[in-house]
Amino acid sequence: MIERVLVIRHDKIGDFVLYWPALCLLKTAMPKASIEVFVAPAVKSLAEVCPYVDHVIVDTGDDKAITGELAARNYDAILVSFSRFRVYKIIRQLDTAYKLAPKHNWYQYLYKYTADAQYKKGEGGWRGGCMLVEHFLTQHGYQTPTLPLQYWDMSAEREKWQGYYGRQGDEKLIFVHPGTGGSSGGLAPTDFASLLINIDSKTRVNCKFVLTFSGDEERLAQEISDKLDQESVKVIMAKPLSSLADFAKSIVAADMFMAGSTGPLHIAGLHNVPTVGFYAGRRSAPDVRWQTLSQRHKRLSYTPPIGKRTGRNMALIDFDAVTKDVVAYLDAHYA
C-alpha cells in the first residue's frame, strides 16, 4: 500500500497552479496517502494552502541537505513532473523503488519508469501533469477519478475579501493585473486604460476596477489608475497582502480577472473566476496551451496576429473585439 508520494514541481507560480488538477487526481484517488510536493521558494505559501497537498518541501538550493530531507521521509513513489538532471542527482540515491518521469527529453533515459505526458493539440498544458498521474494510478491499481469543475472552493470567504477590496452595493469587481510573465503578453498602460474606460462606458454593469500588482508593476498600475480617475471611472489600487497565499485567496472576490501575466491569471482560474487573458501571437498557441482552469465559457483570450514581427506587439490586438466580448459577458451574466 502506498502511504507517501512526492511530486517534484519546483518552477514558476503559474506552472505550479496548472498542476493542481494532477494533485487533485492523486489526493482524490488516494485520500489516505500523504501527498507531498517539492517546490520553489516563491511557491511555498501557495503550496501550503493547496487542499490536495499534505506536506511541502522547499528547494533551498542545498542539494545535499535536500537529499537528506527527502530520504528521511521514506517515499513509496516519486513523480518527477519537472525533469532536470539536477533533480535526478538529488533523488537517485533515495531508497524509493518507483520514480516516474515524463518522456520529454534525454533525462527520461535515467529513469526506470517513464510515461507519455505530452498533451494533445488543443488541450491545455495542465493535461500533461494529469497524464503522468493517470499513468501512475493505473500502474498501481487505482481508478482515475473525475476532475471537479472548480479546484479551490473559497466561497465562504468571498464576502470578506470583497469587503477588503471595498465593494459597495451592486458593484462588480473587475480585477486587472498589468505587467507580464511567462508566455503571456503585457499591454501598454495606455492601451489597458483605454480598454477599461471603453468597457465601463458600454456595459450595463456597475464596475469597479481593482488594480493588483507586484514590485515594479505598481508603476504600471498607477499609470492606469490615473487615466481611469481622469475619466471618473471607479478604480482602486489593491492594498498589499502579506503573502502569495493571501493574495491567491483574495481573488475569490473577483467577478472577472484581466491580465497579461499568467501567474495571477491562473490563480483566478482555480476559483473558476471568468478570465480575460492576453497572450503573445505564436504558432505554438500559448493562449490554448496556457489556458486558465476556469470553465471554457468563462475563458476569453486574445493575441496579436501570429508572426515574428507581430506576435509580441500587443498593441496590435483588436481591442474593439475585446471590448465587445467583455461587455457581452458582463451584461449576460451580471446585468
Side-chain angles (χ1 to χ4, degrees):
M1 180 178 178
I2 294 179
E3 297 181 352
R4 185 168 290 168
V5 179
L6 174 67
V7 176
I8 296 179
R9 187 81 229 191
H10 65 304
D11 44 358
K12 296 179 181 179
I13 294 171
D15 297 295
F16 176 73
V17 170
L18 289 184
Y19 213 76
W20 279 44
L23 294 170
C24 176
L25 288 179
L26 265 181
K27 192 60 184 176
T28 305
M30 309 168 64
K32 294 183 179 179
S34 179
I35 308 301
E36 311 189 2
V37 293
F38 177 66
V39 299
V43 180
K44 177 177 182 290
S45 67
L46 182 59
E48 289 174 338
V49 297
C50 176
Y52 315 114
V53 169
D54 300 294
H55 183 75
V56 178
I57 297 174
V58 178
D59 183 2
T60 61
D62 186 339
D63 292 1
K64 183 177 180 180
I66 292 170
T67 299
E69 184 176 1
L70 298 182
R73 299 198 66 79
N74 297 313
Y75 291 108
D76 298 301
I78 298 176
L79 307 187
V80 183
S81 173
F82 190 56
S83 180
R84 292 290 185 270
F85 185 56
R86 176 189 168 223
V87 171
Y88 172 75
K89 290 193 295 182
I90 289 174
I91 67 174
R92 65 180 173 180
Q93 299 180 36
L94 300 182
D95 188 22
T96 301
Y98 190 89
K99 301 168 185 172
L100 179 66
K103 295 179 179 179
H104 279 177
N105 47 46
W106 73 267
Y107 305 115
Q108 66 178 286
Y109 299 109
L110 301 173
Y111 294 89
K112 181 178 179 181
Y113 301 101
T114 58
D116 179 12
Q118 184 58 55
Y119 48 91
K120 299 177 182 178
K121 183 178 180 180
E123 291 183 324
W126 59 271
R127 269 296 298 154
C130 289
M131 292 172 70
L132 193 74
V133 169
E134 288 163 4
H135 180 90
F136 165 74
L137 293 176
T138 300
Q139 282 206 322
H140 290 82
Y142 292 92
Q143 289 194 345
T144 300
T146 301
L147 288 170
L149 296 178
Q150 181 174 331
Y151 293 97
W152 201 12
D153 183 8
M154 294 294 297
S155 56
E157 295 190 18
R158 179 170 163 83
E159 185 176 349
K160 179 189 80 171
W161 286 112
Q162 285 185 328
Y164 176 85
Y165 288 112
R167 178 181 180 271
Q168 296 181 358
D170 64 347
E171 289 177 342
K172 298 301 177 184
L173 300 182
I174 313 301
F175 280 48
V176 178
H177 193 100
T180 184
S183 299
S184 58
L187 301 188
T190 52
D191 288 336
F192 227 146
S194 296
L195 173 64
L196 302 182
I197 291 168
N198 286 336
I199 290 172
D200 186 70
S201 68
K202 294 180 180 180
T203 181
R204 292 182 285 117
V205 172
N206 181 11
C207 295
K208 173 181 280 186
F209 295 98
V210 179
L211 301 178
T212 63
F213 53 86
S214 176
D216 293 340
E217 294 167 340
E218 182 176 4
R219 174 183 56 81
L220 303 177
Q222 187 63 63
E223 187 173 343
I224 295 171
S225 178
D226 291 343
K227 291 183 181 301
L228 266 59
D229 277 335
Q230 292 172 8
E231 299 296 326
S232 300
V233 175
K234 287 189 288 187
V235 59
I236 64 166
M237 296 277 285
K239 293 179 289 186
L241 287 160
S242 60
S243 70
L244 174 61
D246 283 342
F247 172 67
K249 291 177 182 178
S250 79
I251 293 179
V252 71
D255 294 295
M256 177 175 278
F257 199 100
M258 307 176 67
S261 183
T262 50
L265 202 62
H266 287 317
I267 293 174
L270 291 175
H271 298 286
N272 200 23
V273 165
T275 56
V276 180
F278 302 99
Y279 302 84
R282 299 175 180 169
R283 296 191 184 280
S284 59
D287 54 321
V288 177
R289 292 177 61 201
W290 307 126
Q291 62 186 243
T292 66
L293 294 172
S294 297
Q295 291 172 270
R296 179 187 292 271
H297 73 281
K298 293 185 175 183
R299 296 195 308 263
L300 302 177
S301 59
Y302 304 91
T303 69
I306 295 173
K308 291 183 178 180
R309 295 183 178 181
T310 59
R312 298 295 295 181
N313 188 350
M314 306 306 285
L316 297 179
I317 287 175
D318 185 348
F319 292 110
D320 288 337
V322 179
T323 300
K324 181 179 178 180
D325 292 346
V326 172
V327 168
Y329 187 94
L330 293 174
D331 288 353
H333 292 83
Y334 298 134

